[in-house]
Amino acid sequence: MKKVLTIIIPHYNSPKLLDKLLDSIPEREELEVIVVDDNSESGKQITAECKEKNNRKAAFFINNTGKKGAGVCRNIGLQHAGGEWLLFADADDFFTENLWEKLEGYLQREADIIYFIPSSIYLETGEKAGRDRLTRNLVQNYLQSPDGETEARLRYGFESPWSKLIRNFMVKENQICFDETKVANDVMFSIKCAYAANTIAASEQNIYCVTKSKGTLTTVGGDEYFRIRLGVWVEKYKFLKKRLPNKEWKILKMRGNFWLQRAKRMGYHPGQILGMRIYLLQNGVWL
């Protein structure tokens, strides 16, 4: 049977959480699941029991490229994806109940991307967390008032690859892939998909739960990750400024001062902040 949907999951050092994620995915002939392990450390690899339990549902691959990162793993997944639609998940997150029933009505849509409202919890306690706040608001605002402004904000503000259906043909036709940076490797993939999409749609359905925990890449700071994220944001800025009509570009209100203020809060000294200011100006970023 032809695959309708491919779910791609990068994995590193979280086999128990991956098992929970796979449990949240139904086993169906129309659905394929691709898991790519990023050379997890000994003792933290995907267990044989997990592979055996899910051998009818999922295909397991290992990242043997010599490069590490979720972006590399997702690109490997894209190479093997045969579904008409793509759906991405992080190994420490999970899908909500009745996933297929929630998705089924949208799989015949003509849109190239369909955005869903995510939820978020703290991994340790199960209490509600805030990692879904931005993306939830973007989807809800578009649903409440679907105009040019809310569409532009949804397209180019929803930077994560999860909680949205993406048409596989569009990705392949435009040769869109993930960056290989340690963090923020999904931003330009999402932005390029959003730009390539002829039409988008949104749903009030919640299909995906994002978890928050201490020590993950989303909570760890540091100079290296800050500078990577800044560099990716500059690439996003230049990509959109070059391509969007002026009216649509102005809706986004992208300004470099946000990063300078953030650097100040993080404790960077004035000389370092001046260097960042010069870097932004050299790349044509409005402050």
Side-chain angles (χ1 to χ4, degrees), residues 67-80:
K67 303 174 183 178
K68 287 186 67 65
V72 180
C73 293
R74 290 181 180 124
N75 287 335
I76 294 172
L78 286 173
Q79 293 171 9
H80 296 279

Side-chain angles (χ1 to χ4, degrees), residues 16-285:
K16 291 182 179 179
L17 294 175
L18 173 64
D19 200 37
K20 179 180 179 179
L21 167 60
L22 291 175
D23 283 345
S24 72
I25 300 173
E27 183 178 323
R28 298 189 61 93
E29 291 186 8
E30 312 98 311
L31 168 63
E32 68 174 354
V33 182
I34 296 173
V35 181
V36 185
D37 185 75
D38 196 21
N39 291 285
S40 293
E41 299 170 6
S42 178
K44 297 182 179 179
Q45 300 164 344
I46 304 172
T47 64
E49 291 79 6
C50 177
K51 291 180 179 179
E52 183 177 358
K53 183 176 73 172
N54 295 284
N55 65 349
R56 290 170 54 87
K57 179 191 299 183
F60 296 88
F61 298 88
I62 297 176
N63 174 13
N64 288 322
T65 64
K67 303 174 183 178
K68 287 186 67 65
V72 180
C73 293
R74 290 181 180 124
N75 287 335
I76 294 172
L78 286 173
Q79 293 171 9
H80 296 279
E84 296 178 25
W85 291 94
L86 301 170
L87 191 59
F88 292 91
D90 290 340
D92 53 354
D93 298 333
F94 58 90
F95 292 101
T96 58
E97 292 183 1
N98 303 316
L99 174 65
W100 187 260
E101 289 75 11
K102 291 176 180 177
L103 291 176
E104 194 170 15
Y106 295 92
L107 296 173
Q108 303 302 319
R109 292 285 189 95
E110 296 297 325
D112 292 317
I113 304 177
I114 303 173
Y115 298 85
F116 295 83
I117 294 176
S119 55
S120 178
I121 64 168
Y122 284 102
L123 194 56
E124 294 83 1
T125 65
E127 296 177 346
K128 185 176 180 180
R131 282 192 62 198
D132 63 326
R133 187 177 298 114
L134 172 61
T135 48
R136 171 181 288 271
N137 289 340
L138 289 169
V139 178
Q140 288 179 331
N141 289 342
Y142 176 74
L143 287 169
Q144 291 168 4
S145 179
D147 55 26
E149 181 172 342
T150 57
E151 179 174 333
R153 293 188 184 281
L154 176 58
R155 280 183 184 249
Y156 305 116
F158 200 129
E159 296 178 342
S160 300
W162 36 253
S163 200
K164 55 191 174 190
L165 286 169
I166 303 172
R167 195 172 293 281
N168 195 3
F169 175 78
M170 178 190 71
V171 173
K172 286 183 166 58
E173 182 181 43
N174 291 279
Q175 299 181 334
I176 304 172
C177 61
F178 287 84
D179 289 340
E180 296 178 351
T181 53
K182 289 184 179 179
V183 291
N185 49 71
D186 48 3
V187 172
M188 288 308 299
F189 175 86
S190 292
I191 297 307
K192 290 176 180 179
C193 285
Y195 180 75
N198 288 322
T199 58
I200 68 166
S203 169
E204 72 285 349
Q205 292 279 10
N206 168 222
I207 65 167
Y208 192 76
C209 183
V210 192
T211 66
K212 186 173 183 179
S213 179
K214 294 180 180 179
T216 63
L217 285 179
T218 53
T219 56
V220 172
D223 179 66
E224 181 185 10
Y225 289 168
F226 178 84
R227 292 184 182 275
I228 291 173
R229 290 188 173 99
L230 172 59
V232 171
W233 183 87
V234 169
E235 289 305 307
K236 172 184 174 179
Y237 181 100
K238 293 194 295 185
F239 179 90
L240 294 177
K241 190 172 189 299
K242 180 179 179 180
R243 291 166 175 80
L244 294 184
N246 192 49
K247 181 180 179 180
E248 194 171 1
W249 166 251
K250 287 183 176 180
I251 290 172
L252 303 181
K253 297 180 180 179
M254 296 182 69
R255 296 290 187 273
N257 270 331
F258 164 82
W259 289 95
L260 301 180
Q261 294 166 2
R262 187 174 176 183
K264 185 177 181 180
R265 290 195 301 270
M266 291 179 64
Y268 283 92
H269 62 68
Q272 291 174 308
I273 295 174
L274 176 60
M276 293 177 195
R277 181 184 179 88
I278 293 172
Y279 165 71
L280 291 168
L281 291 172
Q282 287 175 338
N283 279 278
V285 174

